[in-house]
Amino acid sequence: MNLQHTASSRRQFLRRLTVVGGLAAGASLLAACGQPATPAAPTSAAAPAAQPTTAPAPAAAAAKPASGVKLTVLTHWGDQDQLAVLTPILQQYQQQSGVTIDHQTVAFDELLKRITTARLGGPAPDIYHFYNLWMPDFVGSDLLQPPPADVTADVKKSWSQGSADGATYKDQIWGYPTEVNNYLLIYNKQLLQEAGVSKPPATLDELKEASIKATKKGADGKVSQTGFLFLKGWDSGVVHPFTSLLWSNGGEYAARDYSQVMFNQQPGLDVVAAETDIIKGAGADLGFQQADFVAGKAAMTIMANWWGAALRKGVPGGIQNVGVAPIPTKSGGKSIPLQYNWLWGVDKNSKNSAEAWKFLQWLNSPEGNGSSPMRKYRTSGPNAIPSRTSDQQAHADVLNDAFVKPFVDALPNSRTEPIIPGAQEIKTSLQKQIEAAWFGQKEPKDALDTAAQDANRILKEKAQG
């Protein structure tokens, strides 16, 4: 089996791409689970820089004679823990079908560049695994092939509405959703208890109060423990919690027809004002990072389920000391977390598209035990929540874990990240403006209005082609 692994060093800075073929790339490639200079490798983050090794093939019956078909599959899954689970799955399919799988990997922050420039450097991969925020630009550049009707029907039937929506753009499903991640309030039980906070905050006012109570200073006057951790310097770490709070407080990110953004209306202003109030009230120190929560020096943050892998390894008191609660609302309303997805798609120019979809259908369909090969990888390798509902049912023992279960339970109320034209550029601009408000460089209204003006300009340009 030809398993080619192309690994790149992980960047610790945000990069803008100049993309060929009319495809507008996002300003920050650390968009999904990736993040700048953080200690934990998320489930959909950049692969470590170490050269991966191919896992040995399991003992099996003689391989089926080669069919002459080779499928090139591009992912960012290149570290050894991931390959140890994924490689035997790919080998299994080759043995059953005779199709050669050429698995190529790059670091997460190189993935978008690799996809968008692949056709210039020779034949493009047949299959991509990609972040759903990139769909508008991929579709606009005619890069993706619409799935066959039976694949579309399967996704609509066998995935939750949120996951199907996360693979949809312009009323077309573009591939198989592979994992789902959503955001909730994560807190250190011991630190809240020590601060006299008996239960996790359910409203924005309670969040501000608890953050201030849980902040501590040392004898030198410096903050030794922050009540709330803001994830500065990372677009998803800033915008995903903001959007979750926005929706949970009655706001909207953008109009349904993509004509304009709406995050600068009153609900959005209320959210950023609450965030800046926490900072001004000494409930948060912007010098703290994710590693500080893992080390037991931060009481609360809003983060996604994949972070559990890092928390299990490092939080004082173990994962049982970590609580998960709904996104705080303005006055006890409905909590609506943001979710985002990854999906498999097929290059429109693939000469082996029929075999590519056949392979993806096998990879994402239940086997005799009721779970798909993809479920085995997502739960055993990156320890993520698989998005196919039957896989969630088949793996209930893991998904009922005290940390993971609240995220699974919140999926019915979760909404997919807004998949709008220029989404990545808009997201990065919004991140910068929110951070300007955090650091006192702008008032919340000025910051959001500036981000909205930039976003509406991008939407107009995309609409004009």
Side-chain angles (χ1 to χ4, degrees), residues 39-164:
T43 62
S44 287
Q51 290 291 335
T53 58
T54 300
K64 185 176 180 178
S67 66
V69 174
K70 182 176 80 171
L71 295 176
T72 301
V73 179
L74 177 64
T75 76
H76 63 285
W77 296 323
D79 77 336
Q80 295 187 15
D81 288 343
Q82 294 167 341
L83 292 172
V85 180
L86 182 59
T87 297
I89 293 173
L90 301 182
Q91 291 173 333
Q92 177 187 347
Y93 185 76
Q94 176 168 283
Q95 291 170 341
Q96 293 178 3
S97 67
V99 172
T100 299
I101 305 293
D102 178 13
H103 179 209
Q104 301 178 357
T105 71
V106 295
F108 171 75
D109 60 347
E110 292 291 330
L111 182 60
L112 179 57
K113 179 180 179 180
R114 174 65 181 277
I115 292 174
T116 57
T117 62
R119 291 174 179 172
L120 292 183
D126 299 286
I127 298 171
Y128 307 107
H129 187 245
F130 62 93
Y131 177 32
N132 64 345
L133 199 67
W134 302 337
M135 276 193 301
D137 286 331
F138 285 1
V139 173
S141 294
D142 211 24
L143 187 145
L144 296 175
Q145 178 183 120
D150 58 341
V151 172
T152 299
D154 187 28
V155 172
K156 290 181 178 180
K157 176 183 177 182
S158 304
W159 273 257
S160 69
Q161 185 65 51
S163 292

Side-chain angles (χ1 to χ4, degrees), residues 187-261:
Y187 61 96
N188 185 303
K189 296 178 182 178
Q190 179 181 346
L191 299 188
L192 284 191
Q193 184 178 14
E194 290 175 353
V197 180
S198 60
K199 60 181 180 179
T203 68
L204 287 178
D205 287 341
E206 290 178 1
L207 181 65
K208 288 187 284 186
E209 182 180 354
S211 297
I212 295 171
K213 285 184 176 180
T215 297
K216 293 182 179 179
K217 292 184 178 181
D220 57 0
K222 294 183 179 179
V223 175
S224 58
Q225 173 182 303
T226 186
F228 191 86
L229 174 65
F230 287 102
L231 305 175
K232 70 180 188 308
W234 170 34
D235 58 357
S236 291
V238 174
V239 177
H240 286 176
F242 164 79
T243 308
S244 297
L245 289 166
L246 174 72
W247 287 339
S248 298
N249 287 275
E252 289 292 340
Y253 190 94
R256 291 183 179 275
D257 62 359
Y258 312 146
S259 61
Q260 63 177 342
V261 295

